Structure formats: C-alpha cells, structure tokens
C-alpha cells in the first residue's frame, strides 16, 4: 500500500522525568518501517513511559524525537497523531455505554451532524476493511475483551496511522486471544503499518516480533536486535541483568514468560492433607463487581497451592469476596477448616485463620495516607473491643520487627504507606497477613506490577506457607506464574469453574478452557 | 519535625493571609484596617480580663470542636454541631424546668445527662441514615441544624416561654440560681474542669485506643478496613454519637453557665466555628485546644470592634469566613512552606 520508509521513529538521548524519578534515561533508538518491533523489560523499566513519550503524552525533558523524518517537539498528542502515531493503551478507554460506531466517531475528525445509520455504515465499512468482526451498532459493554481490543486498534487506525504502539496488549487476553491478536498484527504489517509492541513475555516476543529492544531501569540495554538470532535464555538475561539474586530455573522462565508450554509442579513436596477450604455449589447475587459465582465447587487442602486461572473479569473478584464474606451468598455452603462459615463475618473467618491479600493493594490492602504501623496493626486491633486501650509504642515495635523480618525497605514505621514502592508495599501486606495463625491464604494477583525480585519474593512466601501446612488460593491472570507455583489449577469463566488441571500443566488445554472452547 | 508541626505552620500561614486580606477589605470599605487589628489583638489577648473573656468563648467551642474532630477523623463530615448544640441545650432546659425545686446536686447532673443524650440523638439519625442507606451526612446534618433552630424558636416561644419577657426575641424563664454552673462571665472551675476532662478523654480516645487507630484508618480508607473485617457500623455510630454528645454538652454548659436561659437563635455560629476550629487544628486534639483559644479570643474581641474601629461586630464573621475559605483551599505554595519542616517521607 504505502511506500515503506526507512526509519519510522527515532529518539535521540531522550530522557523523561516524573518529579525526581528518571523514568527514561538517555534513550537513543531508531525503528525501521514495516516491521513488528517488541520493547521488553521488567515492571518499572520504562516501557510504558517510552510508549507515552512517542505518542505525545509525556514530554521528554531532554533529547529529541523524529517521526517519519519529521522532528517532533514532544508532549503533544495532536502533533504525534498528525505525524502518524497512535497508541492503544494498556487499559482500554472506550466508554462502555457507547455503541462501537459512536466510540469510533468520538475523537475522529469532523464535528458534523450524523444520523445513527450513516455513522454505523461509515464505521462498519472501516471495521470490515480491517477484518474486525464486530457490529458497529453493538454497545461496547456487550463486547468481549478481545473484541474491545480489536475495536481499539481499529479506532487507532482511523487516521491512517503509520506507527501503531500497543502497550501490553496481551495482558488481558487468553493465550488463544493473544494468538489471534498476533495474526491481526501480522496482517497490519503486510499493509505497511509499523508496529511497536510493549511486551512482557519472552515467548510472545519470539512468536510475533521482528526485532526486540530491552529496557532496564529506564535505560536502553540493547536493541533493536533481530529476533531471528535471539533465544529465550539470552533475552532473559538481558531483561534481568546482572542481579545478585539466584532464581530457580523454573522461576526464571516463569518470570520472563519463557516457560515451556508444558510445565510446573516439579517441586511439590508432600501429599495434600485435610481440606481447609471447601466451597460446595456456591452461588452469589449479582452486585456489579464482575459476574456472580454460579454453583462453584472448590477445595483447597492443607499444604497445597491452588491456582485460579482465567481471563480477568470472569468472576475471580467475586470468588475472593465470597471467601472473605464480602459477597452476598445465595446458595451453597462454604467451610473453613471443617466449620461452616457460609454466613460468618470476615472477622469470624479471620479468627479461623483466613488471610486475604486483596486485588487492589493500594485501596483494599493499605491506607496509603496512614502510617505503616497503623496499617500493620489493624488485624490485631480488630480482635479487641473498640474502647480497648492500646500502647502505640508496643505496636510500633511489633511492626518494626515484622517489617524487618520480611525485608521491607522503610525508614520509620511512622512513614506513610503510600511512600513505599509497590514491592515493599506488598511485603507490608504479606507481613500482616501471613502470620503464624494463618491457615488459608487467599492471594489475589499478589505480584501484579511488581518487579522480578519482588515477584520471586512473593512466590517464595507462598511456598513457605505451603511448607507450614497452609492452604493457598492463588489468583492470577498470568499463566506462566500459575504454572510455576501451583500444584493444581482451576479455570474460571463467566463465574463458573470450567476446568481443573494437575501438573504438568498444558498451556494449550488450560488456554482453551479460559476461552470456553472446552467447557 | 513531625507532620503535626507542619500542619500548625500551615494553619498559621493561612490565618495570617486571611487577616491581611480582611484588613485590605476593611480599608477599601473605608474602615481603618490597622486600627481594626489593633482592636482585635487588644480585645482578644491584651486587655485586662482578656484571658478570661477569651476562655468564656473558647471552652464551649473547644468541647464542640473535639466532637467534630472525632467524627471528621472517622471520615464522617458531621457538620451538624450547631443543631446538636441546640438540641442538647433544649433537653437540659426541659429537665431543669421539670425538676424545678429539687436540689442542684440532683438536677445539674441530670441536666448534663439530658443535654449530652439530646445532642447524641440529634447526631444519631443522620448517622443511621448514612450507615443504612448511604444518605450523605453533610446534607442531613446541615438540614438538622435548621430543624433544631426552628425547634429552639418553638420551645422558647411555646412550652418554655418566659411570660414576663418583653423584647423581640422570645426566651425561656431564667434558670434557678442553684442550677447555674457559672456567672454570666462564663468561666468557672466546673466549666474549666469539664473542658480539661473532655480534652484528656478525647486525646486518650484518639491516641490510645483501638477506636482511635481504626477510625483514623477507616476515615482515610474505608475500603481497606472493610477488607480487614471491621464493622463499619460500630465505628461509624460511635463517631456520630460521641460528636453529638459533645456538642450537646457544650449546649448544656452555655445554658447553665453564661446564658442562664434559652433564647431563640442564641450563638448561631457556635457549631460552624467549631468545625472551623477542628479544620484549622488539622483534626488533632492538642491543635484544637490552641485553635479554640484563638477563635475564643476573636469572639471576645468582637465586642470591641464597634467601640474602637467603628466596625460592626459582625466583622469577626468576615474574618472567620476568610480563614475558613483559606484553610479548606489547597495551596501548593503554602504546602511547600509547611513542608519545609517535614522530612521527605511524610509528604504524600
């Protein structure tokens, strides 16, 4: 279609700062046209910042940007768009109540009046041309995640973009959905569009991209390197860098998404014992926080890690809330350690040894504007009457001991929880939840947003709990992680458990259960 | 230095800015600005008996303001202190009327119990509405203020009306001298003792009990305490009841101390000044004591304004309002000045 230009995007000595934090440090890189480029790195390596800089959302403090041979001042979305750059965000920005056609029109050029039918005709043609099988009259909220993403990509291509940046597009997809996305991206490449993929997993990089560039700590380590002569091991060592930390072989592969398609369950030590959690035929009322549970049967034994896999938004949140006594249970029963707790409060369940590491670390897990010792001592305080006298000094000491024990980096326990990094904040929650009295630990996406070191730390904590005889329910949308850590995996789809797998896990069969191909 | 200290700096800076602005406004309006402040400072803190006059206003304000602190800390914006103050005073007045003739040692404690219960009940219904159905307590407690104000007018013009009263403002019959806990100057050992006791008790509640820590956490992040298994009901109701009871206590003190009777619409700004004091104090009990003394001084200075600067005494309300505006506004400039005393980690 279009003439292939030589270099589509070039940045020279680009540096981006957020306050005192240097997010991108002196990055000089150039991407040639008509190819699929992957940008990889750990959390906090600067991948998303790079995407935001190129698309004009943040302005580089130093350095220059050139797009299609034109020099761009940066920090202006419209400039970047006119130069042909479009960004598809990590979390979608489509208004759920809009129809597809309305959402596409929103942000496109022209302020003229349209009839609904004309609008839908116009955008249906565009969608058809891109082979997106979605009706332009459908409401966004009725679409699946994959369809929403396809619409996002189609919307980005409205303006004849020559450079499309996708920020972690596979994070919300099942393995099959990711494969379909890659197919779509390859077709776009054939049409002459240059694509930059911000990716997390080595397996995906090797599967789809032509070149790969590695960021670490805001610096460009290497790239763009041709993927053809790259292997998983070398890429993993580029991403992690020379760290003092030793990772177990499987952990390293799981961390970088290089795990082989059949894996897991190797380091299991003992046979499962008594049931710590047993849910029978449990259903909950619809409450606007994801799909309700629909006759869920689930057991977690002592000394076992059960992984809950599934595309996000398939009832995992409701499952965690139901176990925590924060969802309205309509039917079925829930036992903790053999005692019926179906109607018990969270406090009573905690007294039975339930511990929860909630999904939203910064909202459900910690009060960011409160002191560390206050955050840490809630659990103990709730066990006492409200008027009970406390000695803050004693609590501070207890907190200090626990945080040191968990290797939290902090300066004082009076510090606000919000001043910690994500990994340290998660460790504060672990130090609170994983005490000696813990029997059943529900960990909801406990490694999301953490760097590699902190992720490995969390896994080790879970394995420790298993060794001590706790039951662990580990919810994650990252299959590599689940395969590495879990002894048994259940898959959730639309509020149901649609499959159960034992090690060694097979990526293809778990993946197809996630999409409902084998319900 | 601590975050508390920088909060004090922050409040002080805002108060100075508000005062300067008010001075300019007075100057533009044709009143002598500098002289006005002279009058305020003189009247508030320097004149003979100024300390006593400042305390007369500061003590009840302090008691009501500590109640406001308790509910604000827990994340409930109970701005109904004014109504709870009125209802407390009304309940105490009824008890004093019914038990007329009994010895003071019996009646006075019962009046206090009634006043605190009345104030607590006037905070209970907005609390229940908030916790049961999520009705915004800012709206319900604000409406409660108007209802309580009308109730006061009804009571002073109806059941408790003093038939001998003449002026335009209806009022109740004066309390028997045996039931008064101070003369009309409003400062007595009993009142000072009550204020000190309330201050110590609330300081202990906030800093040395499970309630203090949990309500502070819940006020900043209710979701987090819910995920820890806290009962929002217990903490929430306790906060509403305590703040209402303290406003009712202040109402009882005003009735049985300086006022000696109920008058329709008396001290119409008491509850709002208390909210202002709590905010200026950054929701700390110690800070509340300091701020209450400052605003008590301003209130007593109001009497000198017409004499010295020719300003109507309502000018004090302008100053209060200006301070309220500044204290609730966010200012990066002042925050930076205040954070000069902070270590980096305490900034959010």
């Amino acid at each position: 279609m279009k003439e292939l230009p030589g270099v589509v995007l070039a940045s020279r000595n680009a540096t981006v700062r957020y306050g005192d934090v240097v997010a991108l440090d002196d990055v000089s890189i150039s991407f040639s046209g008509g190819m699929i480029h992957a940008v990889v790195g750990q959390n906090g390596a600067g991948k998303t910042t790079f995407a935001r800089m190129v698309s004009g959302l943040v302005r580089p403090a130093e350095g220059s940007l050139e797009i299609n041979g034109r020099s761009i001042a940066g920090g202006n979305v419209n400039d970047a768009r006119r130069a042909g750059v479009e960004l598809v965000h990590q979390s979608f920005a489509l208004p759920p109540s809009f129809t597809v056609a309305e959402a596409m029109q929103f942000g496109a050029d022209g302020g003229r009046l349209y009839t609904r039918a004309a609008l839908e005709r116009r955008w249906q043609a565009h969608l058809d041309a891109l082979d997106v099988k979605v009706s332009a009259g459908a409401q966004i909220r009725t679409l699946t995640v994959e369809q929403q993403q396809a619409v996002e990509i189609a919307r980005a291509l409205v303006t004849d973009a020559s450079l499309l940046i996708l920020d972690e597009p596979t994070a919300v997809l099942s393995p099959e959905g990711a494969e379909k996305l890659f197919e779509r991206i390859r077709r776009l490449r054939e049409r002459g569009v240059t694509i930059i993929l911000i990716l997390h997993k080595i397996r995906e990089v090797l599967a789809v991209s032509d070149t790969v560039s590695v960021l670490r700590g805001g610096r460009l380590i290497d790239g763009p390197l041709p993927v053809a002569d790259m292997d998983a091991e070398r890429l993993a060592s580029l991403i992690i860098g020379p760290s003092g930390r030793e990772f177990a072989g499987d952990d390293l592969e799981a961390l970088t998404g290089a795990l082989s398609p059949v894996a897991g369950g190797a380091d299991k030590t003992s046979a499962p014992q008594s049931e710590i959690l047993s849910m029978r035929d449990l259903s909950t009322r619809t409450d606007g926080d994801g799909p309700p549970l629909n006759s869920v049967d689930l057991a977690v034994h002592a000394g076992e890690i059960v992984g809950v896999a599934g595309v996000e938004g398939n009832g995992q949140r409701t499952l965690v809330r139901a176990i925590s006594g924060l969802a309205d249970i309509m039917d079925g029963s829930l036992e903790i350690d053999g005692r019926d707790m179906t109607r018990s409060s969270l406090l009573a369940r905690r007294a039975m040894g339930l511990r929860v590491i909630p999904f939203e670390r910064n909202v459900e897990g910690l009060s960011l504007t409160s002191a560390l010792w206050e955050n840490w001592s809630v659990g103990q305080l709730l066990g006492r009457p409200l008027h009970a006298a406390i000695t803050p000094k004693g609590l501070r000491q207890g907190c200090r001991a626990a945080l040191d024990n968990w290797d939290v980096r902090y300066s004082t326990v009076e510090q606000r929880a919000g001043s910690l990094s994500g990994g340290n904040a998660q460790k504060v929650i672990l130090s609170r939840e994983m005490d000696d009295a813990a029997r059943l630990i529900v960990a909801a996406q406990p490694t999301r947003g953490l760097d590699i070191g902190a992720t490995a730390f969390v896994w080790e904590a879970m394995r420790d709990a298993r060794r001590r005889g706790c039951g662990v329910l580990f919810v994650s949308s990252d299959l590599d992680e689940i395969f590495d850590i879990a002894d048994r995996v259940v898959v959730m789809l639309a509020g149901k458990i649609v499959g159960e797998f034992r090690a060694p896990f097979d990526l293809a069969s778990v993946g197809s259960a996630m999409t409902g191909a084998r319900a | 230095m601590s975050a508390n200290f920088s909060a004090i700096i922050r409040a002080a800076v805002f108060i100075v800015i508000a005062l300067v602005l008010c001075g300019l406004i007075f100057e533009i309006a044709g009143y002598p600005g500098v002289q006005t402040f002279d009058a305020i400072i003189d009247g508030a803190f320097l004149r003979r008996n100024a300390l006593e006059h400042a305390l007369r206003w500061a003590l009840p304000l302090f008691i009501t303001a500590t109640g406001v602190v308790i509910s604000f800390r827990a994340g409930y914006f109970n701005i109904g202190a004014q109504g709870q103050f009125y209802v407390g005073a009304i309940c105490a007045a009824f008890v004093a009327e019914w038990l007329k003739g009994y010895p003071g040692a019996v009646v006075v404690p019962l009046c206090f119990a009634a006043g605190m219960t009345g104030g607590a009940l006037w905070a209970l219904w907005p609390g229940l509405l908030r916790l049961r159905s999520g009705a915004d307590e800012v709206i319900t407690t604000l409406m409660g203020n108007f209802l309580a104000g009308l109730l006061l007018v009804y009571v002073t013009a109806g059941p408790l009306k003093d038939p001998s009263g003449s002026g335009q403002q209806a009022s109740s019959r004066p309390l028997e001298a045996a039931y008064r806990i101070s003369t009309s100057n409003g400062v007595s050992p009993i009142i000072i003792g009550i204020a000190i006791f309330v201050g110590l008790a609330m300081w202990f509640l906030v800093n040395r009990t499970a309630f203090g820590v949990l309500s502070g956490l819940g006020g900043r992040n209710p979701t987090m305490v819910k995920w820890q298994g806290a009962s929002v009901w217990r903490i929430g109701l306790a906060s509403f009841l305590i703040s209402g009871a303290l406003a009712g206590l202040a109402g009882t003190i005003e009735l049985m101390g300086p006022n000696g009777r109920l008058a329709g619409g008396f001290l119409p700004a008491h509850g709002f000044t208390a909210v202002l004091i709590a905010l200026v104090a950054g929701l700390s009990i110690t800070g509340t004591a300091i701020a209450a003394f400052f605003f008590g001084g301003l209130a007593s200075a109001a009497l000198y304004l017409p004499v010295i600067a020719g300003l109507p005494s309502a000018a004090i309300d302008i100053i209060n309002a200006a301070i309220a505006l500044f204290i609730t506004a966010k200012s990066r400039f002042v925050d930076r000045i205040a954070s000069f005393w902070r270590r980096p980690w305490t900034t959010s």
Side-chain angles (χ1 to χ4, degrees):
Chain A
M1 282 187 52
K2 255 190 234 163
E3 186 106 9
L4 295 187
V7 170
V8 169
L9 168 71
S11 78
R12 271 181 213 96
N13 308 102
T15 298
V16 175
R17 292 195 192 90
Y18 297 121
D20 298 334
V21 181
V22 181
L24 270 190
D25 190 0
D26 197 23
V27 170
S28 300
I29 193 169
S30 64
F31 293 110
S32 20
M35 296 173 106
I36 300 175
H37 303 280
V39 175
V40 295
Q42 305 183 28
N43 279 307
K47 300 176 307 233
T48 296
T49 305
F50 179 74
R52 290 167 64 86
M53 177 187 76
V54 174
S55 56
L57 285 166
V58 292
R59 187 192 190 92
E62 287 150 35
S64 66
L65 263 184
E66 217 169 80
I67 297 169
N68 288 326
R70 265 162 64 185
S71 181
I72 297 284
N76 187 326
V77 180
N78 289 328
D79 278 357
R81 194 166 269 171
R82 246 175 269 126
V85 179
E86 284 286 343
L87 172 67
V88 177
H89 289 272
Q90 207 164 352
S91 47
F92 305 140
L94 297 172
S97 61
F98 279 34
T99 66
V100 172
E102 286 164 346
M104 307 266 296
Q105 180 62 31
F106 187 70
D109 57 330
R112 284 173 294 149
L113 292 170
Y114 296 96
T115 63
R116 187 176 285 271
L119 206 61
E120 283 175 16
R121 263 201 310 282
R122 176 179 172 193
W123 294 118
Q124 192 69 60
H126 179 73
L127 291 169
D128 291 346
L130 287 167
D131 199 25
V132 176
K133 293 183 184 61
V134 171
S135 154
Q139 262 196 348
I140 297 291
R141 66 159 60 93
T142 66
L143 304 183
T144 65
V145 181
E146 282 146 47
Q147 287 171 322
Q148 282 190 40
Q149 192 175 49
V151 171
E152 277 273 357
I153 294 171
R155 195 191 56 76
L157 292 171
V158 166
T159 50
D160 275 330
S162 58
L163 176 60
L164 188 64
I165 307 170
L166 291 100
D167 189 5
E168 305 228 6
T170 57
V172 290
L173 301 179
S174 66
E176 249 167 65
E179 195 38 61
K180 279 190 211 144
L181 172 74
F182 295 159
E183 208 35 63
R184 191 179 296 287
I185 288 170
R186 289 192 196 103
R187 280 204 299 278
L188 286 175
R189 175 180 56 186
E190 276 149 34
R191 295 161 61 109
V193 180
T194 309
I195 292 128
I196 295 179
L197 293 173
I198 310 292
L199 286 178
H200 205 78
K201 300 195 172 230
I202 289 176
R203 192 176 343 95
E204 292 170 352
V205 173
L206 299 179
V208 68
S209 62
D210 300 314
T211 79
V212 59
S213 311
V214 181
L215 291 172
R216 195 197 312 141
R219 293 179 153 272
L220 179 70
I221 298 304
D222 211 344
L225 302 164
V227 162
D229 32 287
M230 177 63 79
D231 59 47
E233 214 167 303
R234 192 170 145 226
L235 195 45
S237 65
L238 281 176
I239 291 173
I240 293 180
S243 73
R245 209 186 173 86
E246 285 291 318
F247 298 101
D250 275 3
D251 276 4
L252 184 64
E253 289 176 358
L255 283 165
T256 52
L259 212 59
S260 67
V262 178
D267 59 342
K268 180 125 172 50
T269 47
S270 58
Q273 302 138 25
S274 61
E275 274 190 18
I276 294 216
L277 170 73
S278 47
M279 292 173 82
R280 288 196 195 88
D281 205 22
L282 198 92
S283 301
T284 62
R285 207 180 295 279
T286 315
D287 56 10
D289 188 15
L293 297 187
N294 187 349
S295 334
V296 167
D297 285 295
L298 178 66
V300 178
H301 300 89
E304 181 187 37
I305 299 179
V306 177
V308 178
V311 176
E312 263 173 61
N314 273 292
Q316 294 96 324
R317 282 192 66 89
T318 322
L319 177 70
V320 172
R321 284 190 298 119
I323 298 173
S324 311
L326 299 174
D328 197 352
I329 294 176
M330 288 203 303
D331 246 325
S333 69
L334 184 149
E335 287 177 11
I336 297 176
D337 231 354
R339 193 178 303 178
D340 182 54
M341 290 264 133
T342 318
R343 305 274 158 224
S344 305
S345 69
L346 175 51
L347 209 54
R349 296 176 195 215
R350 278 186 174 276
M352 288 296 292
L354 171 69
R355 298 290 182 271
V356 186
I357 297 161
F359 281 96
E360 307 290 340
R361 179 158 59 237
N362 296 337
V363 183
E364 295 157 354
L366 293 171
S367 169
L368 295 186
T369 50
S370 306
L372 285 181
W373 71 270
E374 292 178 307
N375 274 292
W376 178 82
S377 44
V378 212
Q380 302 181 26
L381 295 180
L382 282 170
R384 308 182 200 175
L386 280 182
H387 58 266
I390 56 162
T391 46
K393 210 172 160 191
L395 291 172
R396 285 193 202 105
Q397 262 163 14
C399 176
R400 236 173 263 136
L403 296 189
D404 290 341
N405 199 20
W406 282 85
D407 197 26
V408 181
R409 305 287 153 81
Y410 66 103
S411 45
T412 129
V413 288
E414 294 288 351
Q415 188 174 350
R416 292 168 185 221
S419 62
L420 295 183
S421 71
N424 274 316
Q426 190 68 295
K427 282 182 194 173
V428 174
I429 296 178
L430 291 177
S431 77
R432 181 180 70 205
E433 302 293 331
M434 301 183 71
D435 57 344
D436 292 336
R439 293 285 289 144
L440 171 64
I441 292 161
V442 177
Q445 299 274 25
T447 62
R448 173 183 283 170
L450 303 188
D451 65 23
I452 285 176
T455 300
F457 186 94
V458 171
W459 291 349
E460 214 33 64
M462 298 296 153
R463 291 187 180 123
D464 255 350
R466 173 175 62 186
R467 250 169 256 139
R468 284 188 289 128
C470 295
V472 178
L473 191 72
F474 193 95
V475 183
S476 174
S477 50
D478 184 334
L479 283 181
D480 290 289
E481 167 176 69
I482 285 193
F483 288 178
D484 185 41
I485 195 174
D487 304 313
R488 190 154 60 86
V489 171
V490 296
V491 175
M492 287 198 81
L493 180 66
K496 285 185 162 185
I497 287 186
V498 293
E500 183 176 337
F501 302 86
R502 283 172 192 285
F505 305 108
D506 173 27
L507 184 66
S509 52
V510 175
S512 59
M514 283 167 69
T515 53
R518 45 148 290 177
Chain B
M1 290 281 170
S2 70
N4 261 346
F5 186 73
S6 73
I8 293 171
I9 300 286
R10 187 174 181 275
V13 170
F14 275 126
I15 288 173
V16 169
I17 295 175
L19 290 178
V20 169
L21 186 76
C22 287
L24 283 175
I25 291 173
F26 295 152
E27 199 71 51
I28 291 166
Y31 295 99
V34 179
Q35 234 171 307
T36 306
F37 287 111
D38 216 36
I40 291 174
I41 293 168
D42 190 43
F45 306 107
L46 299 179
R47 198 168 279 258
R48 207 164 62 84
N49 295 337
L51 179 72
E52 193 182 332
H53 290 152
L55 275 181
R56 178 259 172 271
W57 300 105
L59 293 173
L61 279 173
F62 170 68
I63 291 169
T64 305
T66 49
V68 175
V69 168
I70 298 293
S71 68
F72 275 33
R73 273 177 58 89
Y76 299 105
F77 293 97
N78 169 18
I79 53 167
Q82 183 65 30
Q84 291 140 23
F85 169 82
Y86 277 164
V87 172
I90 291 170
C91 290
F94 266 105
V95 170
E97 175 73 14
W98 289 332
L99 299 180
K100 203 185 260 179
Y102 286 93
V106 176
V107 178
V108 173
L110 286 176
C111 286
F112 272 101
M116 292 178 72
T117 311
L121 289 178
W122 204 248
L124 176 65
W125 62 266
L128 286 175
L129 286 174
R130 164 63 198 259
L131 294 165
R132 266 201 87 81
S133 54
D136 192 333
E137 75 279 6
V138 173
I139 307 292
T140 51
T141 54
L142 190 63
M143 291 195 304
N145 289 340
F146 293 110
L147 291 177
L150 292 172
L151 189 67
L152 179 67
V153 169
Y154 164 73
V155 166
T156 51
L160 296 180
K161 185 175 164 61
D162 179 2
S164 69
S166 52
Q168 291 185 322
Q169 191 68 280
S171 65
S172 71
R173 283 178 290 277
L175 248 56
E176 285 183 29
Y179 303 160
R180 295 284 294 272
I181 55 171
S182 82
T183 60
S184 61
N185 78 2
V187 181
S188 72
I190 296 181
I191 298 179
I192 294 175
I194 291 174
I196 290 176
F197 176 77
V198 166
L200 291 178
M202 291 306 122
W203 184 89
F204 189 83
L205 185 70
V206 165
N207 296 299
R208 289 286 183 273
T209 64
F211 172 86
V213 177
L214 291 176
S215 70
L217 280 167
R220 286 156 188 253
N221 185 350
T223 316
M224 179 261 188
V225 286
K226 195 182 85 184
W227 275 88
Q228 287 291 309
S231 156
V232 179
W233 270 92
R234 284 191 344 177
I235 296 174
L237 271 191
S239 312
F240 273 103
L241 289 176
I242 292 171
S243 67
L246 289 179
L249 174 62
T252 310
I253 289 176
E254 283 288 353
L255 168 78
M256 307 184 73
N259 282 280
R261 59 161 72 187
L262 280 183
F266 78 117
L267 301 184
H270 176 88
F272 299 104
T273 309
V275 170
L276 184 54
I277 289 171
L279 290 176
V280 169
L283 304 187
S284 94
I285 300 292
T286 328
T288 302
I290 300 168
F293 186 70
F294 174 80
F295 282 93
L298 278 188
S300 77
L303 303 174
Y304 297 94
L305 283 181
V307 185
I308 298 179
L311 271 170
S313 53
I316 286 292
D317 292 339
I318 298 179
I319 294 175
N320 278 354
I323 295 174
L325 271 178
F326 276 95
I327 218 82
T328 47
K330 277 196 193 307
S331 160
R332 208 173 277 179
F333 173 69
V334 174
D335 282 345
R336 198 173 306 153
I337 294 177
S339 67
F340 183 78
W341 281 271
R342 284 187 192 183
R343 292 214 214 130
W345 48 260
T346 46
T347 55
S348 50

